[in-house]
Amino acid sequence: MTAFWTEPDYDDHEIVHFVRDRDSGLTAIIAIHSTHLGPAAGGTRFWHYAEPKAAMRDALRLSRGMSYKNAMAGLPIGGGKAVILADEDGTKTEAMLAAFGKAVDGLGGRYVTAEDVGISPADMELVAQYTQHVSGLPVEEGDAGGDPGPFTAMGIFHGIKAAVAHKLGRDELDGVHVALQGTGSVGGGVARLLAKEGARLTVADIDTGRAKSLAKEVGGEAVAADAIMSTQCDVFSPNALGAILDEEGIARLDCSIVAGGANNQLARPEHGKLLADRGILYAPDYVINAGGIISVCLEYLCRTQGQPCDINEVRKRIAQIPDRLQSIWTKCDETGERPDVVADEMAQELIGRK
Ligand code: NAD
């Protein structure tokens, strides 16, 4: 048997909890990658995995990603992630969520959870009945928190503007052509913000009705989901799935910039090199998509530590995302390094691992 800590995705995670509750049938993994900067924060994913190993891989990779994202966003929190292993039918019961809430509570605040794929705000409200270490809950208008999607979109919008200025030398988005993959909470929000500044938009979604209706709303064009990555454009913005930047995907790109919200866009680290070799500027995903976690974090600090709840503080911090991207690209220009490598090094230094 191989030791757990020789698994390729194990990255000196501080602690990994296996949760099992026989009465409710809950099986979960809570991975805490780093608490160097504060309690480990990251959402809970509810997903059916073909094999438990895949669930472990997700928990390990996503929790490390949260450490990097939270550190690069300048937040006083570490990185963690939970996955609940769903059965094939995706059976989710109140008893399971209650058991999960109790498990999170048992960690005494070392892990703070929120929504992720498969977990709704209503689910989180249920979890919150059993632990205070939860964020992403409904808030009063004008307060930090609530649905993170619009905040994520806002950060990506600012990041695209910064990338266009850096790569194309253009301070205005007027006429800049952006191809958006995914028209959900994040992609739709990005498209609306870009449209207001005169960008030309091409959008795609596997839900073609959704893509068409967004295209109509923003005065853009909808194309088939399998055509979006080869659309000739200035910016390709992935806002659907991760791992889309592999050999085949990168070869299809016809753009100068990749800047979008999907997590884990590079299928493997070496794909950052392929992108750079093609002269395409990359906005590291966990830097540009931090708007949501900024809101989630400030909501948590407001509720548990009485810190200011003002939504303007969230906006102020999101507006700093372009500066972080710019500092990465400047370092790349100076050293010849790649944005994904520079970002990883900066994040590792911030969490005390360099
Ligand atoms: P969402 O479910 O609201 O939207 C995703 C959209 O992508 C859906 O409309 C779906 O039909 C579409 N889609 C799926 N596969 C596709 C494909 N192959 N081609 C085209 N479209 C496809 O999700 P979201 O909240 O908008 O998140 C989008 C991405 O951003 C995810 O990768 C998520 O992990 C990441 N992200 C989201 C947030 C947030 O605050 N919501 C924060 C950080 C990162």
Side-chain angles (χ1 to χ4, degrees), residues 68-326:
Y68 286 13
K69 184 185 303 203
N70 297 341
M72 290 296 275
L75 298 170
I77 48 176
K81 197 89 183 180
V83 296
I84 298 178
L85 285 76
D87 64 17
E88 259 178 68
D89 302 325
T91 313
K92 194 193 316 166
T93 64
E94 287 193 15
M96 263 182 201
L97 293 171
F100 180 71
K102 287 177 195 162
V104 170
D105 203 54
L107 304 182
R110 199 166 180 201
Y111 169 65
V112 180
T113 195
E115 294 91 342
D116 191 61
V117 178
I119 293 283
S120 68
D123 293 336
M124 266 306 137
E125 282 188 76
L126 213 151
V127 171
Q129 289 177 24
Y130 299 89
T131 181
Q132 60 159 330
H133 306 299
V134 174
S135 199
L137 299 172
V139 291
E140 301 276 322
E141 204 175 324
D143 278 358
D147 177 9
F151 296 107
T152 304
M154 195 187 292
I156 293 159
F157 165 70
H158 288 309
I160 289 176
K161 279 183 91 165
V164 166
H166 184 83
K167 179 77 179 172
L168 307 177
R170 292 170 68 169
D171 291 330
E172 308 278 326
L173 287 177
D174 202 20
V176 169
H177 185 186
V178 183
L180 288 120
Q181 180 183 52
T183 57
S185 170
V186 174
V190 175
R192 288 180 191 99
L193 291 168
L194 290 170
K196 274 193 203 148
E197 299 220 354
R200 180 182 154 209
L201 300 173
T202 302
V203 302
D205 199 293
I206 46 168
D207 181 340
T208 49
R210 201 175 213 185
K212 277 186 192 154
S213 115
L214 181 70
K216 195 168 167 209
E217 183 190 332
V218 298
E221 187 193 353
V223 297
D226 61 3
I228 195 74
M229 283 189 81
S230 46
T231 297
Q232 187 181 31
C233 59
D234 297 304
V235 183
F236 170 64
S237 184
N239 297 292
L241 304 174
I244 37 114
L245 299 175
D246 55 11
E247 280 89 347
E248 196 237 317
I250 293 169
R252 290 170 66 201
L253 291 175
D254 192 356
C255 61
S256 305
I257 295 162
V258 172
N263 282 314
N264 297 330
Q265 291 167 29
L266 297 169
R268 290 196 308 276
E270 59 269 30
H271 293 122
K273 178 168 180 343
L274 281 187
L275 213 49
D277 288 349
R278 288 210 49 206
I280 296 171
L281 181 71
Y282 177 57
D285 45 18
Y286 60 79
V287 181
I288 195 172
N289 74 11
I293 191 70
I294 289 172
S295 162
V296 160
C297 174
L298 296 196
E299 175 195 330
Y300 182 71
L301 295 178
C302 158
R303 200 174 47 249
T304 59
Q305 296 176 23
Q307 294 196 16
C309 305
D310 191 356
I311 198 169
N312 289 320
E313 179 61 24
V314 177
R315 293 199 181 108
K316 197 176 102 194
R317 287 176 182 242
I318 291 175
Q320 292 165 359
I321 288 177
D323 291 343
R324 296 210 173 82
L325 290 168
Q326 191 55 59

